[in-house]
Amino acid sequence: LLIREWPNVLSLLGGLIAIKTLIIAAIGPRVGLSIQESTRIGLLLSQGGEFAFVVFSLANRLGVLPLELNRLLIIVVVLSMALTPLLYEFGRKAAEVIDSRFEENEKATEIQNFDATEPIVILGFGQMGQVLANFLSTPLAAGFDGDMAGLPYVAFDLDPKVIK
């Protein structure tokens, strides 16, 4: 089937990798990743997964997919999984190329100094507010060049006992 349907296999394989890479690379910057990291991770995660085998098996049992199409899709997923090491290397090299092209622009925007002279306001001092307060109290929160006292904060909660 692989030899007979190689144009379809290559088209489906290329489409799977391209679509998943584009989706992951587009989502990456929105969750705090750089373009380089998004591209690298997009290519690393662009293969099909084991869950596809479960879905294809179920589709085959229910008669949703013809048997030959089911086998073709399984071949595509297996090949995409086999390409993972190559996609990882390609993603790493693509990230290096992107990094070398955009290095100066990003470094200029990355380096920002936020000198907070006013305390940080924490609204709600439940479990997560307390975790945030503990983090702000650590010297690492102030940065390496800051003083060793952490960052100042003020906490508010509806229950004064929680603040105490």
Side-chain angles (χ1 to χ4, degrees):
L1 182 64
L2 173 62
I3 294 170
R4 188 179 75 229
E5 296 288 334
W6 69 266
N8 290 333
V9 170
L10 288 180
S11 298
L12 290 170
L13 182 62
L16 173 69
I17 291 170
I19 290 171
K20 284 188 75 176
T21 299
L22 288 172
I23 290 171
I24 294 169
I27 292 172
R30 288 169 176 70
V31 295
L33 297 176
S34 68
I35 295 171
Q36 297 86 353
E37 292 169 325
S38 298
T39 303
R40 185 179 55 79
I41 292 171
L43 283 164
L44 179 63
L45 298 178
S46 65
Q47 75 278 1
E50 295 86 5
F51 188 66
F53 300 132
V54 174
V55 172
F56 295 152
S57 173
L58 180 63
N60 188 34
R61 262 187 279 146
L62 295 175
V64 176
L65 289 177
L67 183 60
E68 189 162 322
L69 178 59
N70 193 2
R71 289 179 180 163
L72 187 70
L73 294 175
I74 289 172
I75 289 171
V76 169
V77 171
V78 168
L79 287 175
S80 72
M81 293 171 97
L83 288 174
T84 300
L86 296 173
L87 291 170
Y88 168 76
E89 285 300 317
F90 183 69
R92 194 175 57 76
K93 289 179 181 175
E96 288 173 5
V97 168
I98 292 171
D99 191 37
S100 67
R101 290 193 179 177
F102 297 108
E103 188 175 76
E104 292 179 17
N105 291 344
E106 275 199 18
K107 285 188 179 175
T109 58
E110 268 182 34
I111 300 172
Q112 296 178 1
N113 189 5
F114 295 102
D115 289 328
T117 56
E118 298 294 322
I120 295 169
V121 178
I122 302 174
L123 298 176
F125 206 62
Q127 185 178 6
M128 292 310 295
Q130 291 174 20
V131 167
L132 178 60
N134 286 335
F135 172 73
L136 293 172
S137 299
T138 61
L140 189 57
F144 292 111
D145 56 347
D147 59 7
M148 297 306 288
L151 295 172
Y153 66 88
V154 175
F156 293 95
D157 198 279
L158 294 175
D159 186 2
K161 290 180 236 172
V162 174
I163 302 287
K164 284 185 179 181

